[in-house]
Amino acid sequence: GQNIDQPTEMTATEGAIVQINCTYQTSGFNGLFWYQQHAGEAPTFLSYNVLDGLEEKGRFSSFLSRSKGYSYLLLKELQMKDSASYLCAVRDYKGGYQKVTFGIGTKLQVIP
Amino acid sequence: GAGVSQSPSNKVTEKGKDVELRCDPISGHTALYWYRQSLGQGLEFLIYFQGNSAPDKSGLPSDRFSAERTGGSVSTLTIQRTQQEDSAVYLCASSLSPQRTHTGELFFGEGSRLTVL
């Protein structure tokens, strides 16, 4: 199975940059996702990494190192609306199944 | 449909009753997932369907929980003899199989909030 670790809470200032780390252990790695979840809402897809390196999408970037079992989500030019939980999820391929397991999520609070 | 649809959006039941939660995935999506999210917690994997293969039931917490997917589309999650600890938001997600041309990301429904009194 998977073991996914990420910080439970972070606080950052509006306009700043914040990095949310995620480490994982899996035997059949087949992709890593980052999702955003506002309170009381469903998670929405932010980014995907399957190869090593950086993927950039506007103010959001995600990095992956498969050899280290490590990813981070980088949020630039923080806005108040970025206050949400950020979920790291790993897809594991085993025996024809593509199970996706989520970490506990990092609750980010953006302050003025 | 345009997105993943779940019903009911809210369900209040008495301890010991059975409940059924429904998920209608995005048309053409072969994979369907059920997760449970308790207040302030992460997403707990319950069960995963992929095409016509036998489902991965490894996350179901007890034999009171079961799920089926009919015709490769609509899925029903059934909880028998509900307990107070079953209170949570039950989220359904669907996806295409990952390929070189797309990521196979999960699209979530709005969830069914279950309260067991």
Side-chain angles (χ1 to χ4, degrees), chain A residues 21-105:
Chain A
N21 296 324
C22 172
T23 59
Y24 64 89
Q25 294 175 322
T26 183
S27 55
F29 178 83
N30 193 27
L32 185 144
F33 301 92
W34 284 95
Y35 278 80
Q36 181 190 61
Q37 186 178 28
H38 285 100
E41 298 182 8
T44 55
F45 171 74
L46 284 179
S47 69
Y48 173 74
N49 296 73
V50 66
L51 299 177
D52 291 351
L54 190 68
E55 294 286 339
E56 298 187 80
K57 286 175 68 174
R59 294 190 299 115
F60 296 81
S61 303
S62 58
F63 172 83
L64 175 68
S65 169
R66 288 172 296 170
S67 62
K68 295 181 179 178
Y70 168 69
S71 173
Y72 68 71
L73 179 69
L74 195 70
L75 291 77
K76 304 174 187 175
E77 302 169 11
L78 279 173
Q79 303 175 8
M80 298 301 290
K81 67 178 182 180
D82 296 330
S83 293
S85 286
Y86 291 86
L87 311 176
C88 174
V90 173
R91 181 164 55 209
D92 188 43
Y93 182 80
K94 190 178 295 181
Y97 291 98
Q98 305 257 11
K99 180 176 168 179
V100 177
T101 303
F102 284 77
I104 195 168

Side-chain angles (χ1 to χ4, degrees), chain B:
Chain B
V4 178
S5 177
Q6 291 188 244
S7 61
S9 55
N10 276 287
K11 176 72 176 179
V12 179
T13 191
E14 294 179 347
K15 178 181 173 182
K17 300 283 190 183
D18 297 352
V19 296
E20 283 190 354
L21 308 176
R22 175 189 167 105
C23 173
D24 200 342
I26 294 172
S27 177
H29 280 193
T30 56
L32 187 148
Y33 300 79
W34 283 99
Y35 294 89
R36 177 169 72 174
Q37 188 171 35
S38 301
L39 189 63
Q41 301 299 309
L43 273 66
E44 175 189 3
F45 170 80
L46 296 178
I47 188 168
Y48 158 60
F49 296 88
Q50 175 63 56
N52 296 319
S53 302
D56 178 350
K57 303 180 182 180
S58 60
L60 294 178
S62 77
D63 58 8
R64 296 187 296 105
F65 288 73
S66 63
E68 63 177 19
R69 188 180 185 191
T70 53
S73 182
V74 172
S75 177
T76 302
L77 177 68
T78 302
I79 309 173
Q80 296 178 308
R81 305 181 302 280
T82 51
Q83 304 294 312
Q84 288 182 333
E85 60 262 29
D86 299 335
S87 296
V89 176
Y90 289 81
L91 288 162
C92 175
S94 70
S95 74
L96 293 167
S97 292
Q99 297 175 17
R100 197 156 48 90
T101 53
H102 59 79
T103 67
E105 76 262 28
L106 277 62
F107 293 82
F108 282 86
E110 292 299 315
S112 293
R113 180 177 297 278
L114 175 66
T115 303
V116 182
L117 301 177

